[in-house]
Amino acid sequence: KLLLSLARRHSLLKEEVDDRLRSAAEKCFTSEQFQLLGPNDLAGMVLATLGHGWSRLHEVAGQELLRRLPHFPAKELLMVSPVLFQKHAAQLIGAWPKVLAGAPKDPKADALLPDQLVQLARMVDQGGSEELLAAKQKLMEELCERLLPKVNELSANGRAQLSQLCKTGASATHLAKLQKSLVAMAGIQAESGSAASSRGKRAAAPAGPDGHLSKKQRGKQLRNKKQHR
């Protein structure tokens, strides 16, 4: 546990300490030992070993994670997918639909948040070879179906990333509905802002019948200004 904790703080270690830690970790973390790690610790070791440049341990940790697919928590898998995607795109693209299907519906558990779904969609759209086109399209279709009822839950950054994906993404067919939803939501927000502005103007309008302040109202306004001074 101490080695694991130190390994995940590689940015704080000096070079000579890093070498000693690598030597100790290679003796301690056998493939059997990696099998005992929980999902969060295993994902952390995949990232930590990459950061250290510990190629042998990184390979062992990555293989153990891939071995557990598709029975691996979605949030932890998303955390390491960009690292593993280059070499293991086929396995990841094939596993993600099953991972998503098995994720709990409760967002407080392990279901991906709308912004995280956009993050995954961007990665899938940009990565993988032509041979994986059919699998990519299937995964993109599922991601779009999951995102469509949650567009209004996206953060401003999430909407911006999704909008960019809709404009430049290769999966145009599946992204078209999301683009329409984004446009519709932007229109609703614009109308709401305009209505609120109009209500504010009406509330601040002069009370006089001719549209001007009466002598009494002007006197009251002047007294208020003097009091604020």
Side-chain angles (χ1 to χ4, degrees):
K1 288 184 178 180
L2 178 60
L3 276 171
L4 177 63
S5 178
L6 285 171
R8 296 181 71 168
R9 288 161 175 77
H10 60 86
S11 62
L12 304 178
L13 301 177
K14 295 181 180 179
E15 186 175 348
E16 61 268 23
V17 178
D18 185 88
D19 288 339
R20 292 179 184 179
L21 181 60
R22 176 188 54 77
S23 178
E26 287 181 348
K27 293 176 182 178
C28 177
F29 286 108
T30 61
S31 57
E32 291 78 15
Q33 201 70 35
F34 274 117
Q35 292 175 18
L36 300 177
L37 294 179
N40 186 266
D41 285 337
L42 180 58
M45 281 300 287
V46 171
L47 298 177
T49 50
L50 177 68
H52 282 293
W54 299 349
S55 56
R56 192 179 74 79
L57 281 174
H58 177 69
E59 183 65 23
V60 176
Q63 287 300 325
E64 171 58 24
L65 191 150
L66 293 170
R67 185 187 68 80
R68 299 187 191 185
L69 294 178
H71 308 293
F72 202 80
K75 289 184 178 179
E76 281 77 8
L77 183 58
L78 180 64
M79 185 168 64
V80 297
S81 284
V83 171
L84 299 175
F85 204 81
Q86 188 173 359
K87 289 185 178 181
H88 307 286
Q91 282 178 269
L92 289 170
I93 290 174
W96 261 113
K98 297 176 183 178
V99 173
L100 292 170
K105 294 182 179 180
D106 182 3
K108 293 182 179 179
D110 191 60
L112 294 184
L113 299 174
D115 278 34
Q116 292 173 319
L117 290 172
V118 173
Q119 181 184 345
L120 177 57
R122 292 181 68 206
M123 182 181 64
V124 173
D125 185 76
Q126 295 168 5
S129 62
E130 290 296 322
E131 298 172 356
L132 301 174
L133 185 59
K136 282 178 59 176
Q137 289 180 340
K138 180 181 178 181
L139 178 52
M140 284 297 294
E141 183 176 0
E142 178 161 351
L143 288 172
C144 290
E145 287 178 358
R146 288 175 176 272
L147 267 171
L148 195 57
K150 299 181 179 180
V151 170
N152 62 337
E153 298 176 28
L154 288 168
S155 67
N157 183 55
R159 290 196 299 272
Q161 290 187 355
L162 180 57
S163 178
Q164 183 64 25
L165 178 62
C166 289
K167 292 175 183 176
T168 61
S171 307
T173 304
H174 305 306
L175 292 167
K177 291 182 179 179
L178 284 173
Q179 177 67 22
K180 289 181 180 178
S181 183
L182 281 173
V183 171
M185 189 174 72
I188 291 172
Q189 289 177 340
E191 288 179 3
S192 298
S194 178
S197 177
S198 298
R199 286 195 298 270
K201 289 180 179 178
R202 285 197 297 270
D210 59 352
H212 297 286
L213 291 175
S214 66
K215 185 176 180 180
K216 184 177 180 180
Q217 288 173 322
R218 288 197 299 272
K220 185 177 180 180
Q221 189 180 66
L222 185 60
R223 287 193 298 274
N224 287 337
K225 286 183 179 180
K226 287 180 179 179
Q227 287 176 359
H228 286 305
R229 290 175 187 174

